[in-house]
Amino acid sequence: MPAHDTPADRASSLSATWFALLAAYRPAVGQERVFVRLVHLTVAGVLGLGRRTLSQLLVALGADDGDWTAWHRLFSRGRVDVDALQATLLAQVVDALPSDGPVVAAVDATQLPRSGRRFPGSGLAVSPRSPKWLRGLHRAQRYVGISALLPRSGAGDSRAVPLRWLL
């Protein structure tokens, strides 16, 4: 098997850049330990395999056998200022875009099937699982998202950074 040929300084500069980008989100969180949990979940989201659910992220972190209540409180008690997170993300994306080029955005929509009426914004929609000749209805939540397209790479491809998803 060939030896790994990535220079050590390149790998360290990638991690340093990544954690510098994450440090910009610190003002959106009141407590340091909550911010550390968010950083851990971000690392697990990149390195973990499978679905990106909270339980799968905890499995990727190796914290699946412990108490999960602190991780769930992170999202259920408003410990994170989501508007500040989105403003920081938007500022970072604008900094990555060239100042003389156009800003390219993409709008996308999706629906999530729901079983109850108590979900906010749920209603009847055409089911994508039904055949085209026999349209069926199902209860769903519809989300609309906007993403910014980063400048093209040398290979000609571009990355889309999701900026906001609204119900």
Side-chain angles (χ1 to χ4, degrees):
M1 190 155 93
H4 187 60
D5 59 352
T6 302
D9 58 341
R10 181 174 174 210
S12 64
S13 67
L14 175 64
S15 62
T17 303
W18 187 29
F19 285 114
L21 287 171
L22 288 176
Y25 295 93
R26 176 61 183 96
V29 183
Q31 296 179 350
E32 180 69 24
R33 63 185 174 155
V34 175
F35 177 69
V36 169
R37 280 196 187 102
L38 280 177
V39 170
H40 284 143
L41 289 177
T42 304
V43 171
V46 172
L47 300 178
L49 302 173
R51 296 177 58 193
R52 299 302 191 260
T53 60
L54 183 57
S55 58
Q56 287 297 323
L57 294 178
L58 292 177
V59 168
L61 288 173
D64 55 332
D65 58 350
D67 186 17
W68 291 13
T69 55
W71 298 95
H72 283 281
R73 281 194 310 261
L74 181 69
F75 298 104
S76 65
R77 297 222 178 139
R79 298 175 187 262
V80 178
D81 185 6
V82 177
D83 292 332
L85 290 177
Q86 289 176 343
T88 305
L89 175 65
L90 184 61
Q92 288 177 342
V93 169
V94 167
D95 287 343
L97 296 174
S99 59
D100 58 346
V103 176
V104 181
V107 178
D108 192 15
T110 188
Q111 56 180 329
L112 299 175
R114 297 296 183 209
S115 58
R117 296 180 182 193
R118 297 178 69 177
F119 286 99
S122 69
L124 293 177
V126 175
S127 175
R129 297 172 293 202
S130 62
K132 296 291 182 191
W133 66 87
L134 183 64
R135 293 288 180 156
L137 296 177
H138 74 143
R139 184 166 294 280
Q141 282 180 318
R142 186 163 175 84
Y143 285 90
V144 177
I146 185 167
S147 300
L149 296 176
L150 296 178
R152 289 187 177 189
S153 68
D157 55 349
S158 179
R159 298 262 183 203
V161 178
L163 298 176
R164 183 102 183 202
W165 282 93
L166 298 173
L167 184 62

